[in-house]
């Protein structure tokens, strides 16, 4: 079952249960997924129009005829990886907002954002914890043969590529910085 399908089913259950926080978080995630889906359709349409214009350069009638026959499915489903990326982006937005709220002394709003983070995290694969990452990151650092905080620029691209979808970028950065500074 895709993330969008799970969100639809969970929204119905949350509405029946009267869980307003869950309903709001799921609605926001569904809206973000729909916006991404429409944006992807727009990009496909724009690419098709550019290709038509290049093919029929100098013939406005042919361009208009080809555009009239152009059909792009605006409801084409996103891949699971795209859906996960959207949910991860929504979690990051909430994490950033919670951090700002904490700094402003608004713990009530920060708690609300953190509650939504917990709800949305259920739709992503389990991320590796810092404890699980330490030996893996240490192995990558040893493999690259680098040390010291100046090596972050060499280590991070490799870590981001290897652990994409398995660990949060922020966590990877913290673990790498910790291991490189202690080396």
């Amino acid at each position: 079952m895709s993330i969008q399908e799970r969100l639809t089913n969970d929204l119905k259950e949350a509405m029946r249960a009267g869980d307003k926080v869950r309903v709001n978080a799921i609605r926001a995630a569904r809206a973000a997924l729909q916006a991404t889906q429409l944006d992807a359709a727009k990009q496909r349409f724009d690419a098709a129009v550019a290709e038509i214009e290049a093919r029929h350069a100098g013939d406005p009638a042919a361009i208009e005829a080809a555009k009239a026959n152009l059909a792009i499915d605006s409801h084409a489903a996103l891949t699971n990886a795209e859906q996960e990326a959207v949910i991860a982006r929504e979690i990051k937005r909430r994490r950033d907002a919670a951090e700002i709220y904490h700094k402003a002394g608004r713990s009530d709003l920060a708690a609300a954002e953190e509650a939504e983070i917990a709800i949305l995290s259920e739709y992503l694969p389990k991320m590796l914890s810092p404890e699980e990452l330490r030996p893996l990151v240490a192995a990558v650092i040893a493999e690259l043969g680098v040390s010291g905080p100046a090596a972050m620029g060499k280590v991070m691209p490799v870590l981001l590529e290897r652990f994409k979808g398995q660990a949060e970028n922020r966590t990877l950065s913290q673990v790498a910085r910790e291991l490189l500074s202690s080396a």
Side-chain angles (χ1 to χ4, degrees), residues 3-136:
I3 292 175
Q4 287 178 314
E5 292 167 342
R6 285 180 51 207
L7 285 167
T8 301
N9 293 337
D10 290 352
L11 177 63
K12 291 174 189 175
E13 290 176 22
M15 291 173 79
R16 283 188 202 112
D19 187 349
K20 291 182 181 182
V21 173
R22 189 172 206 78
V23 167
N24 289 337
I26 292 172
R27 281 184 176 160
R30 290 183 68 209
L33 285 166
Q34 185 177 20
T36 302
Q37 194 172 14
L38 291 173
D39 188 46
K42 182 185 180 315
Q43 288 176 0
R44 287 192 304 274
F45 179 81
D46 290 345
V49 167
E51 191 267 326
I52 287 170
E53 289 174 347
R55 190 174 350 127
H56 301 290
D59 188 2
I63 291 173
E64 289 306 315
K67 283 183 183 178
N69 293 329
L70 188 60
I72 301 291
D73 183 12
S74 64
H75 298 293
L78 297 171
T79 65
N80 277 343
E82 291 170 326
Q83 291 177 39
E84 288 175 6
V86 170
I87 298 297
R89 188 174 62 235
E90 289 298 304
I91 289 172
K92 183 182 183 319
R93 283 183 184 157
R94 281 163 180 75
R95 187 169 284 124
D96 292 345
E99 189 176 306
I100 291 169
Y101 289 142
H102 277 300
K103 288 179 182 175
R106 295 295 310 265
S107 58
D108 55 329
L109 295 175
E113 294 292 339
E114 289 164 355
E116 289 191 11
I117 290 170
I119 292 166
L120 294 177
S121 295
E122 296 171 11
Y123 297 95
L124 293 178
K126 184 186 176 299
M127 298 290 174
L128 295 171
S129 70
E131 293 75 32
E132 295 168 320
L133 282 172
R134 270 190 194 83
L136 301 172

Side-chain angles (χ1 to χ4, degrees), residues 139-163:
V140 170
I141 291 171
E143 177 185 316
L144 294 174
V146 294
S147 64
M152 279 293 284
K154 292 179 182 176
V155 172
M156 282 310 294
V158 175
L159 292 176
L160 293 175
E161 182 63 32
R162 285 209 189 152
F163 297 106

